[in-house]
Amino acid sequence: MKVLIATDKPFAAEAKSGIRDVVEKAGFELVLLEKYTEKRQLLDAVANADAAIIRSDIFDKEVLDAAKNMKIVVRAGAGFDNIDLEAATANNICVMNTPGQNANAVAELALGLAVYAVRNFYNGTSGTELMGKRLGIHAYGNVGRNVARIAKGFGMEVYAYDPFLAAEAIEKEGVKAVASAEDLYTACRFVSLHIPATAETKNSVNYALLGRMPENALLINTARKEVISEAEIVKLMEDRKDFRYVTDIMPGNHAEMTEKFAGRYFSTPKKTGAQTAEANTNAGIAAANQIVDFIKNGNERFRLNK
Ligand code: 3PG
């Protein structure tokens, strides 16, 4: 059994050695493809692999069709918008993710970006504090829940909106649940995005929604760039000089944003939310264990496709 790690953005060394231990203890062989530059390399690597551990690597129909021996692909992380689930099913490949394993890392970065923004990107001028300010968490999943925990430590007033959770489930954690995204953006000067990129959410964070935020608004994006309308956030930031935007997912219009909104916009150069030794180890080893348990015992917990 060949288990391929295919990661454009490599795991930390300790995560790789942890994965190797799990894979080799099961009697399987580990194969590594990192920092690949051509799709061809990925197509060649999947051709004789039985299982794969990936991150945001694009597993589209072409890649999945080329994976003739593949039985399982595990996305070491949460979002799976990079995988064509239908093509996986058509090729009889099970797809899983590892929910929650990198959530704390992403949440810490969200608050880190908030501090960076309110301290004027550390340019030495007088900024503001997070304490006492209202933070809206847009989608209260594993990352959102960790953001709430950390934000409470900062002394923030935490609100959340999640269409898939009952208000009681949110409120029992000391977070104020609101009934709609509109209510969240109206109430909160800070909003942290944690929605997945789906057909319904793409471009859903638009001028109308962002325009509801109170004065001196800050939008923090550690989710996906696709959920924000790039054209509309430009228009909004042109109209509202008090609006700031920090993101861990470089938008398509990064050059325009940088030029137009100096001092109000920041993007990390490469998505870095889950780039910690701990998150890599947690997600990578969980992925390896899920592969072994699926192949040896048929365990399909965390399966995403039908
Ligand atoms: C996720 O969906 O788990 C995060 O966005 C992290 O993605 P990454 O593994 O590509 O860093």
Side-chain angles (χ1 to χ4, degrees):
M1 279 292 158
K2 273 193 172 46
V3 179
L4 170 71
I5 298 182
T7 48
D8 162 49
K9 194 170 57 183
F11 287 124
E14 49 266 67
K16 280 183 274 188
S17 80
I19 294 170
R20 181 175 295 283
D21 285 349
V22 173
V23 167
E24 291 181 350
K25 206 164 138 221
F28 302 165
E29 181 193 347
L30 189 72
V31 186
L32 207 56
L33 174 70
E34 292 181 317
K35 289 188 183 170
Y36 51 91
T37 49
E38 310 283 330
K39 191 173 190 183
R40 182 77 259 157
Q41 295 169 268
L42 189 57
L43 292 170
D44 289 345
V46 297
N48 62 357
D50 297 280
I53 298 173
I54 66 171
R55 297 184 65 180
S56 291
D57 306 82
I58 308 296
F59 268 44
D60 58 12
K61 185 172 182 318
E62 189 186 3
V63 173
L64 291 158
D65 285 351
K68 293 292 174 221
N69 296 337
M70 193 73 76
K71 291 145 194 70
I72 176 166
V73 172
V74 182
R75 193 283 189 241
F80 49 90
D81 46 308
N82 51 320
I83 307 171
D84 184 335
L85 293 187
E86 264 180 42
T89 302
N91 282 290
N92 205 18
I93 298 170
C94 172
V95 178
M96 296 185 188
N97 63 352
T98 65
Q101 300 289 350
N102 59 17
N104 179 64
V106 179
E108 285 190 11
L109 186 77
L111 271 302
L113 286 170
V115 173
Y116 187 46
V118 297
R119 296 303 184 97
N120 303 328
F121 306 130
Y122 303 154
N123 71 0
T125 63
S126 198
T128 57
E129 300 179 17
L130 297 180
M131 188 155 82
K133 311 295 186 311
R134 201 176 278 174
L135 171 70
I137 300 179
H138 192 168
Y140 201 71
N142 290 309
V143 181
R145 182 169 280 113
N146 276 283
V147 168
R149 173 179 54 76
I150 300 166
K152 282 190 270 178
F154 274 101
M156 299 187 86
E157 205 186 324
V158 186
Y159 282 50
Y161 168 64
D162 193 309
F164 302 105
L165 270 184
E168 304 78 69
I170 295 174
E171 302 224 317
K172 77 173 193 314
E173 299 189 1
V175 172
K176 171 110 184 82
V178 295
S180 67
E182 285 72 17
D183 287 353
L184 189 78
Y185 286 71
T186 304
C188 299
R189 174 173 153 190
F190 293 77
V191 170
S192 190
L193 280 176
H194 302 291
I195 49 178
T198 64
E200 292 73 41
T201 63
K202 280 187 184 155
N203 293 318
S204 65
V205 180
N206 55 21
Y207 189 98
L209 200 55
L210 295 170
R212 290 173 169 271
M213 291 175 73
E215 210 182 340
N216 293 322
L218 174 69
L219 178 70
I220 306 146
N221 185 9
T222 54
R224 289 292 180 272
K225 67 177 180 180
E226 290 82 1
V227 301
I228 298 178
S229 165
E230 291 182 356
E232 294 194 21
I233 197 167
V234 168
K235 174 141 181 29
L236 181 96
M237 289 178 72
E238 282 170 350
D239 291 353
R240 278 193 49 182
K241 306 286 181 246
D242 64 310
F243 194 101
R244 290 164 296 172
Y245 172 39
V246 284
T247 180
D248 185 36
I249 310 95
M250 188 178 281
N253 60 351
H254 173 70
E256 178 189 13
M257 297 286 287
T258 305
E259 193 196 314
K260 286 190 170 154
F261 308 121
R264 292 198 282 140
Y265 162 78
F266 170 78
S267 172
T268 54
K270 197 167 180 97
K271 187 163 65 130
T272 198
Q275 269 306 52
T276 66
E278 295 88 338
N280 289 173
T281 302
N282 293 343
I285 292 180
N289 280 322
Q290 286 170 221
I291 286 172
V292 171
D293 205 17
F294 174 78
I295 290 181
K296 296 211 166 183
N297 311 315
N299 188 340
E300 297 201 350
R301 189 168 175 223
F302 301 121
R303 184 176 184 130
L304 298 164
N305 58 332
K306 300 279 170 259

